[in-house]
Amino acid sequence: MNESINLVKIHDYLWEIPKKGGMRVPGRVYATESMLKDIQKDKALEQVVNVAHLPGIQKYSIAMPDIHWGYGFPIGGVAAMDVEEGVISPGGVGYDINCGVRLMSTNLIEEEVRPKLRELVSELFYRVPSGVGSSGKIKLSKNDYKDLIKKGAKWAVEQGWGEAQDLERIEDYGTFPGANYDTISQKAFERGSDELGTLGSGNHFLEVDIVDEIKDLQVADDFGLFKDQVCVMIHCGSRGFGHQICTDYIDRMLSYMRREEINLPDKQLACAHIKSKEGRDYLSAFAAAVNYAWANRQIIMSFARESFYRIFKIGPRDLGGHLVYDISHNIAKFEEHKVNGEMKKVCVHRKGATRAFPKGHPLVPEIYRNVGQPVFIPGDMGRASFVLVGTEAALDETFGTSCHGAGRMLSRNEAVRRGKNRDLFSELERRGIILIARGKRTVLEEMPEAYKYVEDVCDVVHNAQIAKKVARLRPIGVVKG
DNA sequence: ATGTTC
C-alpha cells in the first residue's frame, strides 16, 4: 500500500498527487474511488510520482484508470516533455515499442460467420504464427530492413500486403519519420529478421468480434460500424526487434546518466536529453521499431483478409475488410500542446495509453477530421472491447490521451494459480467463443478474471470526458500466443 | 512485452 501518497479529489473521476520533494509537477490519476483501492495495491502510484521528477516534464505526470506497475513508468502513464530541456525515456515508451491495436470492419454479420467460425479461427491461427519466439515465413534481408524501417506500413503495402487506402487510417499514415539504420544493433536486426507477420505472446491477440451495442449512432456510422457486424481486432507490436532496441538504449542511457550526473528516484527511469546524441540515437532506433510494428499489424491484417477469402469463398468486395483505424499505445510523439496558455512543442510519452484527439485536430487523418480520432480499448478475451472517439477535453487535460485497456487486476502468477483447474477453452466455447492458443499458461494468465471489467474503465474516461463511447464489441473467436 | 532469467 502507498499510504504515504496523498490523493486530493478533483472530481469523482480525477485525483491529484500534490507536488512534493523533487517532483517538478503534480501527479494526476483518472479513476473512481473504488478503483484507487486496487491501484494502490502495487507500486504504480509511486511510479507516477517518480515520473514527475523527470527533467522537462510539463503540467502533470498522468495516470489512466487502467494504470498498473511497469518498468520505470507505470503502464497507463502519460508524460509530456519540453523538447529543449526535457528527456526521452525508453521506459516511458515500453519494451514493446509501438504496441498497438487495429480494427478491421467487414460487410459480414454474425449469423453469416457462425457456421464456419471454428474453421475461420483455425485458419487465422495457422496463418498468423503466435507465441513467444514465433517466426513467420517472411525473412528480412538487409535491404528489406533499410526500406522497412523508413516506410513502416507503407513498405508492407508496397510489398503487396494491403492497399494504399489502408494507410489513410493509420496514425501518421503508417510512416514514422527519422529512422536510422546505423543506430540499431545487429542483435536487434537478427531478432526481428523472421518475426514480421507474427503475433507474439502475453496480452497480444487476434480476435473476431461482433459489434454488440452502439453507443453513438452517428460516430459509429462515420467509423463504418453497425450492430451485429463482424470485425477483426489485432493487438501486437514490434516483437523482439523493438524489445532489443529498448534493452540496448536503457543500457546506453544508464551510462549517459552517470556521466551527466542525473539523479532520479529509480534507475528504471533511464533517460537522456532529447537533444543529446544518446537521445537522438534512441529516437532514430525507436522510429525504426515504430515502423516495424506498423508493418507487422498491416501484414497480419492482410493475413486475416486472406483467411476470410478462403473460408467464406468470397472476394475483397464482399468482405469489405476496411481498416477502421490503427492506434499506438506504447509510443512517444512530438506534438503541439497548450501549456500555461501557450502552444508549445512537447514530446508526449504514452505508455499503455492511447492518443485521443478531437475532431478538427490537424493530426487526425482527413477521413476522420470532422468526427474525431477512433480510440480502441480492448478488454479481456471473454467479455468485451470498446470503440471510443477522442475529445476536446482530452486535448486540454491529458495531452490528447485516453486509456488503452481493461487493466490487469491479478498478477500473471496469481491468475495461473487461481485458474489451474479450469478449462478456459471449454468455458469460453459454452459462451459461444472459439479460442485457439499456442500455450495453456498464457491463456490462464489472460483469463477474463485477471482483468478489470473493461466497461468500468471506459466509464471513467467517458465520464471524465477524455474519450466518448461509440460501440461495444464482444469476442466470438480468439487467437492467442 | 521478451530467444518468458544476459
Side-chain angles (χ1 to χ4, degrees):
Chain A
M1 296 289 277
N2 298 297
E3 267 102 0
S4 59
I5 293 176
N6 184 23
L7 288 160
V8 178
K9 185 171 178 175
I10 305 287
H11 57 65
D12 284 352
Y13 306 97
L14 179 59
W15 307 76
E16 184 155 317
I17 304 172
K19 216 169 102 170
K20 187 178 149 184
M23 291 171 75
R24 293 165 189 263
V25 293
R28 283 206 156 185
V29 186
Y30 287 84
T32 60
E33 192 159 10
S34 74
M35 274 177 192
L36 279 175
K37 292 196 174 69
D38 282 325
I39 290 169
Q40 286 171 315
K41 282 176 188 161
D42 67 23
K43 294 188 180 295
L45 291 185
E46 268 174 50
Q47 295 188 313
V48 174
V49 169
N50 292 345
V51 168
H53 288 69
L54 288 167
I57 188 167
Q58 304 290 302
K59 286 173 80 173
Y60 306 107
S61 167
I62 300 166
M64 291 294 153
D66 52 338
I67 182 181
H68 52 283
W69 181 84
Y71 183 90
F73 285 55
I75 296 159
V78 185
M81 310 309 185
D82 181 282
V83 293
E84 300 299 326
E85 281 132 40
V87 292
I88 178 91
S89 174
V93 169
Y95 268 91
D96 191 2
I97 296 167
N98 192 13
C99 184
V101 182
R102 67 165 55 190
L103 186 71
M104 182 184 85
S105 64
T106 75
N107 294 340
L108 306 175
I109 59 168
E110 181 170 9
E111 64 181 51
E112 293 171 302
V113 167
R114 255 306 151 198
K116 289 190 165 183
L117 181 59
R118 183 170 287 281
E119 281 173 74
L120 174 64
V121 180
S122 300
E123 183 74 15
L124 291 166
F125 184 76
Y126 167 74
R127 283 188 192 248
V128 183
S130 59
V132 172
S134 50
S135 54
K137 294 200 173 106
I138 303 162
K139 311 292 176 202
L140 293 169
S141 68
K142 183 171 176 175
N143 282 333
D144 291 332
Y145 256 129
K146 286 200 160 169
D147 217 15
L148 156 70
I149 64 169
K150 291 229 176 268
K151 292 184 180 168
K154 186 161 186 255
W155 177 85
V157 169
E158 286 172 3
Q159 302 295 308
W161 292 293
E163 40 202 90
Q165 66 170 36
D166 296 335
L167 303 176
E168 296 165 18
R169 294 136 188 266
I170 307 177
E171 284 193 16
D172 306 299
Y173 301 92
T175 300
F176 200 94
N180 178 355
Y181 188 91
D182 300 326
T183 60
I184 300 157
S185 69
Q186 208 47 48
K187 202 168 172 185
F189 285 126
E190 279 163 19
R191 284 182 67 177
S193 65
D194 60 358
E195 294 187 327
L196 211 51
T198 69
L199 201 56
S201 183
N203 59 7
H204 290 168
F205 63 77
L206 193 165
E207 263 180 22
V208 181
D209 289 302
I210 302 298
V211 178
D212 202 31
E213 190 187 340
I214 299 285
K215 307 274 189 179
D216 184 322
L217 196 56
Q218 184 58 56
V219 177
D221 189 57
D222 289 333
F223 289 167
L225 301 173
F226 56 86
K227 173 121 171 68
D228 299 328
Q229 180 182 27
V230 173
C231 294
V232 172
M233 190 177 264
I234 297 161
H235 178 203
C236 63
S238 51
R239 309 287 287 103
F241 184 65
H243 191 277
Q244 189 61 44
I245 286 169
C246 182
T247 303
D248 292 341
Y249 278 90
I250 283 172
D251 210 39
R252 242 184 103 181
M253 287 186 184
L254 284 171
S255 19
Y256 174 85
M257 285 172 69
R258 279 192 295 273
R259 204 175 68 231
E260 299 291 318
E261 298 179 346
I262 300 170
N263 289 306
L264 290 166
D266 181 359
K267 277 259 180 291
Q268 295 188 352
L269 294 173
C271 61
H273 288 94
I274 291 167
K275 301 268 164 168
S276 69
K277 175 88 168 86
E278 285 79 358
R280 284 181 285 124
D281 282 356
Y282 170 71
L283 284 164
S284 298
F286 150 89
V290 169
N291 284 328
Y292 187 106
W294 273 330
N296 195 28
R297 289 197 287 276
Q298 179 66 31
I299 290 166
I300 291 172
M301 181 178 73
S302 178
F303 291 166
R305 284 172 175 157
E306 286 162 15
S307 301
F308 275 85
Y309 300 154
R310 180 168 180 275
I311 299 301
F312 296 97
K313 300 180 174 57
I314 55 175
R317 184 182 293 256
D318 289 326
L319 178 65
H322 298 298
L323 178 59
V324 178
Y325 198 62
D326 179 300
I327 54 116
S328 302
H329 58 220
N330 276 13
I331 203 159
K333 284 206 167 148
F334 292 96
E335 295 167 356
E336 301 264 336
H337 286 278
K338 198 185 273 182
V339 179
N340 299 326
E342 280 180 28
M343 294 304 282
K344 73 181 285 183
K345 194 176 174 189
V346 291
C347 177
V348 186
H349 295 65
R350 296 189 180 94
K351 181 189 192 175
T354 306
R355 199 174 78 175
F357 282 171
K359 62 181 167 191
H361 195 288
L363 293 182
V364 175
E366 237 173 276
I367 50 157
Y368 297 130
R369 190 86 38 91
N370 296 321
V371 188
Q373 183 215 299
V375 170
F376 304 136
I377 306 184
D380 59 77
M381 64 172 88
R383 289 179 286 186
S385 292
F386 276 80
V387 177
L388 299 88
V389 63
T391 64
E392 201 63 47
L395 204 54
D396 292 340
E397 291 181 30
T398 59
F399 299 98
T401 311
S402 192
C403 68
H404 91 306
R408 190 167 268 289
M409 201 150 67
L410 303 179
S411 71
R412 292 182 183 281
N413 285 334
E414 180 63 12
V416 171
R417 197 186 64 76
R418 290 197 201 182
K420 67 171 179 258
N421 294 320
R422 289 173 56 179
D423 178 356
L424 266 295
F425 294 88
S426 53
E427 281 181 40
L428 290 173
E429 189 164 347
R430 278 197 293 277
R431 288 158 51 195
I433 303 165
I434 303 294
L435 165 66
I436 304 185
R438 205 164 122 180
K440 200 182 162 205
R441 186 184 162 90
T442 305
V443 170
L444 292 179
E445 286 175 355
E446 295 293 314
M447 68 181 181
E449 294 79 1
Y451 287 92
K452 292 175 199 165
Y453 180 48
V454 68
E455 186 148 18
D456 295 339
V457 173
C458 289
D459 283 341
V460 173
V461 296
H462 181 90
N463 291 329
Q465 297 180 38
I466 56 170
K468 191 165 160 258
K469 285 195 239 178
V470 174
R472 187 180 69 224
L473 312 180
R474 89 184 130 80
I476 59 168
V478 183
V479 172
K480 291 286 296 177

